Amino acid sequence: MRRFPANMKEEQRLRLQDQLVDIILRVLVRHPELHYYQGYHDICVTFLLVVGEDLAFAIMDKLSEYHLRDFMDESMDRTRHILGYLMPIVGKAHPELREFLERSDVGTIFALSWLITWYGHVLTDIRHIVRLYDFFLACHPLMPIYLAAQIVLYRSEDILRVECEMTMVHHTLSRLPEDLPFEHLVSRAGDLFIQYPPSMLAKEAELEFLSSTTISCYEDFEMATNQKPDTVLRRRRRFGNSAAQNGDVKTVQLRKPTNLALKFAVWAISASLGAAALAVVNVVNEWF
């Protein structure tokens, strides 16, 4: 209900709701190996509102095979794998912040709804949502997690001011301000991707890079669609290298990667039972 414009007539909304169900069922019938997950409809409804039923189905059909594939397994193992990139990215750019987050035992569950809905569930302004969707469609499938890292980095001062305790940190992280400077965040997320590509993070964080279907099938997606979704970032990287060699263009100065070895452990519940239960209750309340 909240994803439809407030001034939409009920007749039109009901028709769109029927179309939304049809899109989801058509994808699942066509790909019986895929499984619906809570949040998939948030992505579907965004495309439905913007491009209509037929094109929305065509887009979701392709995204479900590639960008969203890991979220549509029977288990959340591969989803947790993608979430596992969050702390290494943050740690590269802001080691103190990562140390604080890990000390609080907050984990990465706060970013789950960001990732699996492409932020469609947590933002209310449709202009921000479609801007991010444009960005994700034009980039690598892991760009949503890079944006999550950049949002955490952008809010570092707010985070470091709270008590280093799981529920307090989770409460701060799980609520996205509506006035975030998304153009700036999009640009900086692209910078993070260029400086710390997934291959570098997978190796340093000791993650199984090819265990992600979304990542390992990315080249197949490029061939199937006859396009390079991260062409802009690649061109930007080449331009930056060329400019640096010529010395005639000012480029954004990015901090060099540190040589400090990073450790990472994928966890489900690592805090005390009471604190973990409280965090889960908070997530459920926000979700519904």
Side-chain angles (χ1 to χ4, degrees):
M1 291 286 294
R2 60 183 293 272
R3 291 303 313 280
F4 294 104
N7 59 350
M8 179 177 288
K9 295 181 179 180
E10 182 178 8
E11 180 182 353
Q12 183 182 6
R13 177 178 56 78
L14 292 175
R15 183 169 66 252
L16 287 173
Q17 285 181 316
D18 289 339
Q19 293 175 358
L20 174 63
V21 173
D22 289 343
I23 291 171
I24 294 172
L25 291 178
R26 288 171 66 187
V27 171
L28 295 178
V29 168
R30 186 167 183 174
H31 304 282
E33 74 280 7
L34 301 181
H35 299 79
Y36 175 83
Y37 65 88
Q38 182 70 18
Y40 184 77
H41 67 284
D42 281 292
I43 299 181
C44 289
V45 75
T46 301
F47 288 114
L48 175 61
L49 290 172
V50 175
V51 300
E53 181 179 3
D54 291 338
L55 191 52
F57 165 72
I59 294 172
M60 291 305 302
D61 183 58
K62 188 60 65 178
L63 288 179
S64 299
E65 290 187 277
Y66 295 100
H67 290 62
L68 308 178
R69 178 61 182 83
D70 286 347
F71 310 146
M72 304 187 77
D73 276 351
E74 285 186 283
S75 72
M76 291 186 62
D77 290 345
R78 289 194 173 114
T79 300
R80 286 198 298 268
H81 167 81
I82 295 178
L83 283 170
Y85 282 84
L86 180 58
M87 290 300 177
I89 300 171
V90 171
K92 286 291 188 181
H94 197 321
E96 178 188 358
L97 180 59
R98 179 182 181 179
E99 188 276 334
F100 177 87
L101 293 172
E102 292 184 335
R103 186 155 43 90
S104 74
D105 281 332
V106 71
T108 57
I109 194 66
F110 66 87
L112 176 62
S113 62
W114 305 358
L115 176 66
I116 64 177
T117 70
W118 279 11
Y119 301 80
H121 183 77
V122 294
L123 298 177
T124 58
D125 192 326
I126 187 65
R127 296 171 301 175
H128 295 157
I129 295 173
V130 297
R131 176 65 183 95
L132 294 183
Y133 276 45
D134 282 342
F135 179 51
F136 297 150
L137 288 172
C139 295
H140 191 279
L142 284 183
M143 193 54 73
I145 204 67
Y146 278 85
L147 179 65
Q150 181 54 44
I151 290 174
V152 173
L153 291 168
Y154 179 79
R155 303 188 64 203
S156 59
E157 293 184 3
D158 294 335
I159 297 169
L160 292 173
R161 275 198 296 263
V162 304
E163 181 183 352
C164 187
E165 189 269 334
M166 185 182 73
T167 55
M168 295 294 293
V169 177
H170 181 274
H171 177 80
T172 302
L173 286 168
S174 60
R175 286 166 169 75
L176 284 183
E178 283 291 335
D179 60 349
L180 288 174
F182 285 103
E183 288 302 327
H184 169 75
L185 295 174
V186 162
S187 177
R188 289 300 299 157
D191 292 338
L192 286 175
F193 183 90
I194 293 171
Q195 188 175 4
Y196 310 119
S199 56
M200 174 193 295
L201 297 174
K203 181 179 180 180
E204 293 190 3
E206 298 180 356
L207 295 171
E208 293 295 331
F209 183 55
L210 294 180
S211 69
S212 166
T213 304
T214 294
I215 303 171
S216 61
C217 292
Y218 182 54
E219 291 185 1
D220 295 336
F221 171 78
E222 292 181 330
M223 294 179 62
T225 58
N226 193 29
Q227 63 179 337
K228 300 284 186 179
D230 58 350
T231 298
V232 174
L233 293 179
R234 295 180 183 181
R235 187 187 308 120
R236 184 174 173 181
R237 179 189 297 173
R238 290 196 299 270
F239 176 77
N241 292 338
S242 175
Q245 293 173 1
N246 296 334
D248 56 354
V249 178
K250 293 182 179 180
T251 57
V252 176
Q253 297 298 317
L254 299 176
R255 179 165 52 183
K256 293 182 179 179
T258 65
N259 292 322
L260 180 64
L262 300 176
K263 71 170 185 175
F264 176 83
V266 177
W267 64 279
I269 301 176
S270 61
S272 65
L273 180 60
L278 179 58
V280 170
V281 169
N282 288 337
V283 172
V284 172
N285 287 336
E286 293 165 7
W287 191 262
F288 293 102

